Amino acid sequence: MVSVASASFMKRIKSLLLVLVLSVSATDGLDNGLGLTPPMGFNTWNTFRCDINENLIFNITDKFVELGLPQVGYTYVNLDDCWMAWNRTSDGKYMADPHKFPNGMKVIGDYIHDRGLKFGVYSSAGTYTCQKRPGSLGHEAGDAQSFAEWGVDYFKYDNCYSENIPGIDRYPIMREALNATGRPIFFSLCQWGVEDSWRWAPSVGNSWRTTGDIGKNWGSISGNFWESQKHWYMSRPGAWLDPDMLQVGNGNLTHDENKAHFAMWCFAKAPLLLGNDLRSMTQEQVDIVTNTNLIAVNQDPYAKQASCFMGCDRNSAQWSVFATRLTGGDVAVLVVNWMDSTSPSLTFPAHTVGVVPTPKKQKVWVTDLWTNKVIARYDFNSSKTIPVTPMASHGCVAYRLSIVDNDPREAAAKSSLRATAE
């Protein structure tokens, strides 16, 4: 068995002090009543890039419903870059690409809304989008009004062709323009985590990107996760850290990598935006992204973004422990194996993640979040560590630790057995 010591006391104290300092100087997030929990939905970019059109969106929307995604919380169907025409109208307004979307954006929004879902679009806080379509810099008020008229519920705002204007000057203009329409539109900043955006983005957008674009491989996924953990303490309702969209089901990710990827995003309180082709999902992939236990961690209104408690040096960690406290007091724990091989059997002290039962009076129940089964009940008179079975390469385990009072009937039975033996 391998055991790792808890993070140093002083390091945790310094981190908590930093949280207190920042909480005094920062706002509580964009106060537009949206994003009280991280958004859940689908985005076109990771799979389709610019190859999108009206029929595709209709088909994806129908499949979204068929898979039962709304029943577990998924809501948004979001169009990324390339939905717009190459040029604006003569009066400077946005228009849909007439070849891809001949009936316009409102028809798309109506189709999505008619199925009980919400509709998202994209632009860039620059003169062009990243694919050289017209951007919204200098057109914020008019574009926001168009979005409102089309029934847009979610707006992703990229960072290409910025004319070297600081993001802190560009993004608030669109925030105000969206608010002025009177329509509730979730504002997703895609500012790539540059320009110290962690200092100002929480008061501007409902979510804010902490990284560059995510790739369809484990190195990119794990890298984005670690990068987004740098400022975990800035995550809050109305201002979620965004390590980019999900790649579950894309590339050559293994089953264990898909599971770990989804679990990491759930524990990071990240937006859960599917980026694969919903029409060709395997049942294994569907089961991963509809796991209600992990989604509950992501959507828990009380829980904070999970922080690292063990194995916290990304350059040397072979495995790491992340944890967050849930509504009701239980603790959710995620253990990730970063190694390219199966991990050995591991243990971690329960008190390290804040689980401290009363000796002789309480036990710790361990529920596997993947299977929803109680896999162990530990009496801490005899054991104070939680064992972790070997994990596959780039795999994970996810637990819910609950402190449960001992059943007095059980104690009486044990006492009776001892008396009989004597």
Side-chain angles (χ1 to χ4, degrees):
M1 302 288 281
V2 178
S3 180
V4 179
S6 62
S8 72
F9 179 74
M10 287 306 298
K11 183 176 180 181
R12 299 294 296 173
I13 290 297
K14 288 179 181 178
S15 180
L16 290 172
L17 287 174
L18 179 58
V19 174
L20 291 173
V21 170
L22 289 169
S23 66
V24 173
S25 59
T27 67
D28 289 333
L30 177 56
D31 185 19
N32 60 0
L34 301 174
L36 299 183
T37 58
M40 299 173 61
F42 166 84
N43 180 284
T44 58
W45 183 253
N46 283 358
T47 292
F48 300 105
R49 304 300 192 193
C50 281
D51 191 16
I52 58 174
N53 58 58
E54 183 177 274
N55 286 335
L56 173 71
I57 301 305
F58 291 166
N59 291 337
I60 289 291
T61 302
D62 291 341
K63 192 65 177 180
F64 191 105
V65 175
E66 180 187 325
L67 290 172
L69 297 177
Q71 280 66 55
V72 295
Y74 291 92
T75 302
Y76 294 98
V77 177
N78 297 341
L79 282 65
D80 211 278
D81 207 345
C82 303
W83 62 264
M84 65 283 285
W86 288 102
N87 296 292
R88 292 179 174 273
T89 64
S90 59
D91 57 352
K93 292 185 177 181
Y94 254 147
M95 62 178 288
D97 186 310
H99 303 291
K100 296 172 181 286
F101 301 96
N103 295 302
M105 283 294 105
K106 190 175 188 308
V107 167
I108 299 295
D110 288 346
Y111 192 92
I112 293 170
H113 290 148
D114 288 346
R115 282 142 187 83
L117 306 175
K118 295 183 179 181
F119 169 43
V121 296
Y122 161 103
S123 184
S124 180
T127 52
Y128 298 99
T129 69
C130 296
Q131 298 301 309
K132 296 287 295 218
R133 306 276 176 139
S136 290
L137 186 64
H139 295 270
E140 292 86 355
D143 290 353
Q145 188 58 44
S146 293
F147 300 152
E149 292 170 0
W150 298 341
V152 168
D153 306 294
Y154 185 111
F155 178 54
K156 175 183 173 181
Y157 206 29
D158 219 329
N159 196 34
C160 290
Y161 299 97
S162 64
E163 300 296 307
N164 295 318
I165 302 172
I168 196 172
D169 295 328
R170 287 176 289 124
Y171 284 89
I173 297 173
M174 182 58 83
R175 175 195 61 192
E176 297 306 313
L178 293 172
N179 288 342
T181 68
R183 181 175 180 80
I185 300 176
F186 185 100
F187 189 25
S188 170
L189 273 63
C190 183
Q191 210 261 340
W192 314 334
V194 298
E195 299 182 276
D196 287 335
S197 56
W198 64 275
R199 297 180 182 274
W200 53 267
S203 65
V204 178
N206 296 118
S207 67
W208 44 285
R209 273 278 289 279
T210 52
T211 67
D213 285 359
I214 193 170
K216 301 176 183 181
N217 59 81
W218 178 252
S220 178
I221 290 166
S222 59
N224 276 29
F225 174 76
W226 276 115
E227 189 66 24
S228 202
Q229 286 298 117
K230 284 183 177 179
H231 301 295
W232 60 270
Y233 45 81
M234 296 300 290
S235 176
R236 65 199 70 177
W240 305 108
L241 280 68
D242 180 7
D244 205 3
M245 298 164 291
L246 290 162
Q247 293 283 18
V248 174
N250 286 337
N252 296 314
L253 296 174
T254 67
H255 178 62
D256 289 292
E257 287 172 343
N258 278 324
K259 288 178 65 176
H261 175 21
F262 186 71
M264 289 190 293
W265 262 234
C266 286
F267 273 72
K269 303 286 284 188
L272 299 180
L273 297 176
L274 304 175
N276 58 309
D277 189 340
L278 302 184
R279 302 169 301 175
S280 58
M281 291 184 77
T282 66
Q283 189 58 50
E284 279 188 341
Q285 293 162 1
V286 174
D287 291 344
I288 290 171
V289 303
T290 58
N291 181 287
T292 54
N293 291 318
L294 287 163
I295 290 172
V297 174
N298 180 266
Q299 297 291 298
D300 190 310
Y302 174 82
K304 308 296 184 184
Q305 177 170 332
S307 56
C308 185
F309 286 80
M310 302 170 68
C312 302
D313 183 347
R314 64 183 292 182
N315 296 314
S316 62
Q318 295 183 323
W319 58 281
S320 302
V321 176
F322 301 89
T324 183
R325 191 170 296 278
L326 305 173
T327 298
D330 288 357
V331 173
V333 177
L334 176 68
V335 187
V336 182
N337 176 21
W338 307 112
M339 297 185 290
D340 295 331
S341 58
T342 301
S343 70
S345 296
L346 311 168
T347 68
F348 66 89
H351 69 83
T352 301
V353 295
V355 177
V356 185
T358 302
K360 298 183 179 181
K361 294 184 179 181
Q362 295 177 318
K363 289 184 178 180
V364 174
W365 287 22
V366 182
T367 302
D368 186 325
L369 293 180
W370 286 110
T371 64
N372 198 36
K373 294 181 179 179
V374 176
I375 60 173
R377 297 175 176 87
Y378 293 110
D379 183 341
F380 275 70
N381 291 324
S382 59
S383 173
K384 294 184 179 180
T385 61
I386 304 296
V388 178
T389 57
M391 297 172 285
S393 171
H394 307 159
C396 74
V397 297
Y399 296 148
R400 183 179 183 123
L401 306 185
S402 309
I403 297 178
V404 179
D405 290 338
N406 287 338
D407 188 335
R409 293 171 298 179
E410 180 181 349
K414 287 182 178 179
S415 177
S416 176
L417 285 174
R418 284 194 296 269
T420 301
E422 293 170 355

